[in-house]
């Protein structure tokens, strides 16, 4: 129990330091000092600074997935367009509320091979697969309910939505424009999905 509290305390302090000073300007010594732990205690719980960062990214992605599952469950909304609209708006808002994940998408690191970028890509695979499955399931449900026609392929549908969202992440977070773009994004989502009733 004590070990769990120590680990949690280290993560909380590290997150605050990463947010304030950035990954590169935060050292293990800084984390030890601000968490009032011996440096050995840090290395007992984590192998390195990137391991701390990795766990923080995992926490943020797990939180996003959990909240999306709660608010955008397949069984709660019967119209695919309403369900997708709710998902797209909520998903980007949750990404905007992250601290660590947004740093990996920031202009400073975007397009580089920095260790936080390569770590984030690796950690995101699990979330990306879950999200792809979500869109695939939505498409399948839409076809079964005759909202989407037979010509709509679930795997292509899922690929396209994921490509769209990842492209928008660059626009919003690498360019730091989410706040000013949010209203336009909402209008765009509603416009694109308003008449999504393509059936044979």
């Amino acid at each position: 129990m004590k070990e769990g509290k120590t680990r949690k305390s280290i993560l909380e302090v590290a997150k605050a330091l990463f947010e304030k000073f950035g990954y590169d300007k935060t050292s293990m010594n800084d984390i030890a000092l601000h968490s009032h732990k011996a440096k050995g205690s840090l290395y007992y719980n984590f192998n390195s600074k990137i391991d701390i960062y990795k766990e923080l990214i995992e926490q943020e992605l797990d939180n996003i997935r959990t909240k999306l599952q709660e608010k955008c469950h397949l069984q709660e909304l019967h119209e695919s367009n309403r369900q997708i609209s709710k998902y797209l708006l909520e998903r980007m808002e949750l990404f905007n509320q992250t601290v660590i994940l947004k740093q990996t998408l920031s202009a400073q690191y975007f397009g580089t091979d920095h260790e936080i970028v390569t770590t984030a890509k690796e950690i995101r695979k699990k979330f990306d697969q879950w999200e792809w499955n979500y869109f695939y399931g939505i498409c399948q449900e839409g076809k079964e309910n005759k909202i989407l026609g037979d010509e709509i392929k679930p795997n292509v549908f899922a690929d396209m939505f994921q490509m769209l969202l990842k492209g928008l992440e660059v626009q919003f977070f690498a360019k730091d424009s989410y706040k000013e773009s949010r209203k336009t994004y909402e209008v765009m989502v509603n416009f694109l999905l308003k008449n999504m009733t393509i059936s044979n």
Side-chain angles (χ1 to χ4, degrees), residues 107-122:
Q108 178 183 357
Y109 298 112
F110 182 74
T112 71
D113 289 329
H114 193 284
E115 64 180 338
I116 70 166
V117 176
T118 56
T119 297
K121 283 179 182 175
E122 187 61 34

Side-chain angles (χ1 to χ4, degrees), residues 2 8 15 20 38 44 57 61 71 78 80 91 103 114 125 129 139 169 174 188:
K2 191 174 181 182
K8 184 178 179 183
K15 184 173 184 176
K20 186 173 182 179
Y44 177 78
I57 294 172
L61 286 170
K71 295 185 178 184
H78 300 294
S80 295
R91 188 252 198 211
Q103 280 188 1
H114 193 284
K125 286 179 182 177
Q129 185 60 56
C139 186
E169 284 175 16
M188 183 193 80

Side-chain angles (χ1 to χ4, degrees), residues 7-188:
R7 192 177 181 88
K8 184 178 179 183
S9 171
I10 292 168
L11 288 167
E12 287 172 354
V13 168
K15 184 173 184 176
L17 291 173
F18 291 145
E19 182 176 18
K20 186 173 182 179
F21 301 109
Y23 178 82
D24 292 330
K25 292 183 179 177
T26 301
S27 68
M28 289 293 269
N29 283 334
D30 295 329
I31 298 169
L33 179 67
H34 286 83
S35 61
H36 307 290
K37 307 289 184 211
K39 199 170 176 184
S41 181
L42 263 67
Y43 284 106
Y44 177 78
N45 286 278
F46 301 96
N47 291 327
S48 62
K49 183 171 71 165
I50 196 62
D51 280 348
I52 296 174
Y53 209 81
K54 177 181 176 182
E55 188 153 332
L56 290 169
I57 294 172
E58 287 176 332
Q59 285 182 359
E60 288 185 340
L61 286 170
D62 285 346
N63 181 57
I64 290 171
R65 185 171 58 249
T66 298
K67 287 186 176 176
L68 286 172
Q69 285 173 324
E70 289 171 356
K71 295 185 178 184
C72 307
H73 195 273
L74 276 168
Q75 304 306 318
E76 290 178 359
L77 299 169
H78 300 294
E79 296 178 20
S80 295
N81 55 350
R82 284 178 55 224
Q83 187 173 338
I84 294 171
S85 176
K86 185 181 178 87
Y87 181 95
L88 294 176
L89 297 176
E90 185 68 25
R91 188 252 198 211
M92 212 56 84
E93 189 62 32
L94 289 168
F95 262 70
N96 186 55
Q97 292 169 16
T98 65
V99 171
I100 304 304
L101 192 57
K102 275 201 319 188
Q103 280 188 1
T104 69
L105 296 165
S106 69
Q108 178 183 357
Y109 298 112
F110 182 74
T112 71
D113 289 329
H114 193 284
E115 64 180 338
I116 70 166
V117 176
T118 56
T119 297
K121 283 179 182 175
E122 187 61 34
I123 299 302
R124 279 197 64 164
K125 286 179 182 177
K126 182 179 173 184
F127 176 86
D128 289 346
Q129 185 60 56
W130 171 83
E131 184 168 67
W132 190 93
N133 290 339
Y134 177 85
F135 285 123
Y136 186 93
I138 289 284
C139 186
Q140 288 284 62
E141 184 185 80
K143 287 162 72 75
E144 289 167 10
N145 292 333
K146 307 300 181 187
I147 295 169
L148 298 174
D150 292 337
E151 71 278 10
I152 308 297
K153 305 301 177 193
N155 60 320
V156 178
F157 184 89
D159 286 343
M160 286 183 173
F161 268 103
Q162 212 162 49
M163 283 189 284
L164 171 68
L165 288 171
K166 288 192 171 184
L168 285 170
E169 284 175 16
V170 175
Q171 177 66 34
F172 292 153
F173 306 122
K175 297 183 179 180
D176 195 25
S177 67
Y178 179 74
K179 189 175 180 182
E180 65 188 67
S181 303
R182 181 168 51 191
K183 204 65 186 168
T184 304
Y185 175 62
E186 290 175 6
V187 171
M188 183 193 80

